[in-house]
Amino acid sequence: MSRKYFGTDGIRGKVGEFPITPDFVLRLGWAAGRVFARHGSGKILIGKDTRISGYMFESALEAGLVAAGVDVALLGPMPTPAIAYLTRTFQGNAGIVISASHNPFDDNGIKFFSAQGTKLPDAIEQEIERELENNITTVDSSALGKVVRIDDAAGRYIEYCKSTVPIGFSLRGKKIVLDCANGATYHIAPSVFKELGAEVVSLAAEPDGLNINRNVGSTKPGLLQEAVREHQADIGIAFDGDGDRVLFVDEAGELVDGDELLYVIAAGMQQNGGECTGVVGTLMSNLGFEQALARRNIPFLRANVGDRYVIEKMHQNGWRLGGESSGHIICSDVTTTGDGIVAALQVLHSCALMNASVASVRQEVVKFPQLMVNVRTGADKNLTHEAIVSAVTTAEERLADSGRVLLRASGTEPVVRVMVEGEDQELVHALAHELAAVVESVLA
């Protein structure tokens, strides 16, 4: 059964446009409640990021779940990975996140976690979609769900984050600039790093419902780069709006992406006398990252783009580390999903083990020039059109054996991502723009 509403990361879109409307989210809450009640027992936890529309959708989900006879626990603004963690620790039946991640404030979305704090299996998402075709019915008043608010959710998650590094690990003497993207980490990340001893300079930690991700965060690191230089900080750390992505800025103000952060963690695991059994990246991972791992004899595999596919391949191979160049990093020995704060701590812990800086370790990764161009499209994202296939073939021939071409339709935005990678930067840029123009002419 093909999915009508669920994309690669839940259901997402423009607020007020179907399906991101209060009436649909009410129905979604009811349908999810019905399905989860058949598969287990326990409260369903709801958390959100800092978008103004989160209040509206929180109420709609709450009403639908209660009508289905399900108890609800409200977490308030919390990072997405915090909701996965708290769902496990409260033995919830499921967790629901109201967020559109790195998108602007006028987008929003709904995504789910299982009782184990993992992404929902496709079969459960399909079951919810089937239930959405039915009319809402309300259980008897005596069976209606009850709602509580978990007031100490932030404190619980702060302690959990600190517990993912060994006792005695300290950031004392480190000056760290944190860019919280005016999002869900605003009241969590500064406390975590301060309590571990760091001197913290906070940026974009004053959300107003409208400024989430606005020219800040992991997708817009310019302000953080300036702040690291201005404050002569040891490191800068940028999260996205819901806290499941992280990027670094080194002491020189240079951006450090997810591939390089994964490499730092892998190197630390290996150098500590332990073992990095392997790393899962994606089709977008830089070839230079793969080659750097090979020089350390660390196996590497590529998954489809999307953290759910990375996690699947990690589980298939019994590996503990994986992620994306965008900054989704999964350390499965300490968490079940991409977690920006936890990943940042793992990077800093690896550097401490190696007695090295992020800047010095990342130099082992000699990245190939890579350019990705986002092409906005209409409803048609079919990449098998003859003109597109021909253009890709031509580009691959021009790169010969010294590069890669990847076209991918986004599962969360109306765009096709055109990526070209190779040894020759001028050729890479030229081919990427040529391919993007062809895709736009066919699909826009």
Side-chain angles (χ1 to χ4, degrees), residues 195-217:
E195 290 178 22
L196 286 171
E199 177 186 350
V200 171
V201 178
S202 295
L203 299 178
E206 298 180 352
D208 62 10
L210 307 177
N211 60 2
I212 185 171
N213 299 317
R214 184 191 294 164
N215 297 319
V216 290

Side-chain angles (χ1 to χ4, degrees), residues 91-137:
Q91 298 184 5
N93 198 8
I96 304 179
V97 182
I98 305 166
S99 174
S101 189
H102 56 284
N103 288 20
F105 83 94
D106 51 355
D107 284 353
N108 216 329
I110 310 292
K111 54 187 173 184
F112 295 85
F113 286 110
S114 71
Q116 293 74 41
T118 59
K119 295 292 179 76
L120 282 189
D122 289 345
I124 300 296
E125 291 185 349
Q126 291 169 356
E127 194 173 345
I128 293 171
E129 292 209 349
R130 286 194 293 269
E131 196 69 56
L132 279 164
E133 301 304 314
N134 299 323
N135 293 324
I136 291 181
T137 58

Side-chain angles (χ1 to χ4, degrees), residues 341-355:
I341 295 174
V342 168
L345 292 176
Q346 301 307 304
V347 170
L348 295 173
H349 180 236
S350 284
C351 288
L353 291 173
M354 294 184 287
N355 192 28

Side-chain angles (χ1 to χ4, degrees), residues 14 36 61 63 84 95 110 117 132 140 154 178 284 286 290 313-315 348 393:
K14 189 73 66 181
F36 288 126
L61 282 171
I110 310 292
L132 279 164
D140 186 82
L178 298 178
M284 303 297 293
N286 194 279
E290 180 178 358
K313 197 167 283 282
M314 288 169 62
H315 289 167
L348 295 173
T393 300

Side-chain angles (χ1 to χ4, degrees), residues 290-303:
E290 180 178 358
Q291 292 178 347
L293 289 173
R295 287 192 289 272
R296 284 183 172 265
N297 296 315
I298 297 175
F300 175 78
L301 290 173
R302 294 180 186 270

